[in-house]
């Protein structure tokens, strides 16, 4: 079972709270790429998220890549870095 860390991150609790909860519930948190900061549309952003979670993960965590216009050339390097993919059709809104 997967859960998103983005809601927890927006509340200020972050990876540590999300992964502790997941450890007790046999879940694997997956960071959503487009509704957390930084948005994961480049390898640099992915590396920043991974570094921010160091020492705060109690279970394995998945990272997805955002598939958005203007970053198509970044997709293959992100896949090579091991991310999953998430695409959104239409407007993300505010």
């Amino acid at each position: 079972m997967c859960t998103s860390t983005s809601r927890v991150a927006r509340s200020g609790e972050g990876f540590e709270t999300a992964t502790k909860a997941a450890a007790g519930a046999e879940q694997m948190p997956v960071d959503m790429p487009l509704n957390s900061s930084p948005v994961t549309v480049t390898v640099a952003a992915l590396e920043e998220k991974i570094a921010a979670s160091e020492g705060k993960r109690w279970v394995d965590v998945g990272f997805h890549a955002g598939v958005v216009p203007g970053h198509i050339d970044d997709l293959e390097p992100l896949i090579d870095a091991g991310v999953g993919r998430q695409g959104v059709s239409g407007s993300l809104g505010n």
Side-chain angles (χ1 to χ4, degrees):
M1 176 176 251
C2 295
T3 187
S4 170
T5 59
S6 62
R7 183 180 315 127
V8 175
R10 285 194 305 270
S11 69
E13 296 173 357
F15 279 98
E16 188 163 12
T17 299
T19 58
K20 280 183 179 180
E26 297 182 22
Q27 295 183 354
M28 183 184 127
V30 177
D31 182 73
M32 295 290 100
L34 301 176
N35 57 353
S36 57
S37 181
V39 294
T40 313
V41 295
T42 65
V43 171
L46 172 66
E47 290 170 347
E48 184 178 340
K49 282 188 176 182
I50 291 171
S53 71
E54 290 293 333
K56 299 175 186 170
R57 296 181 303 234
W58 290 70
V59 296
D60 290 336
V61 174
F63 291 90
H64 279 181
V67 181
V68 297
H71 287 278
I72 300 304
D73 292 340
D74 293 304
L75 187 55
E76 192 163 337
L78 281 161
I79 293 169
D80 291 343
V83 300
R85 280 126 5 240
Q86 176 187 16
V88 176
S89 177
S91 173
L92 292 175
N94 290 334

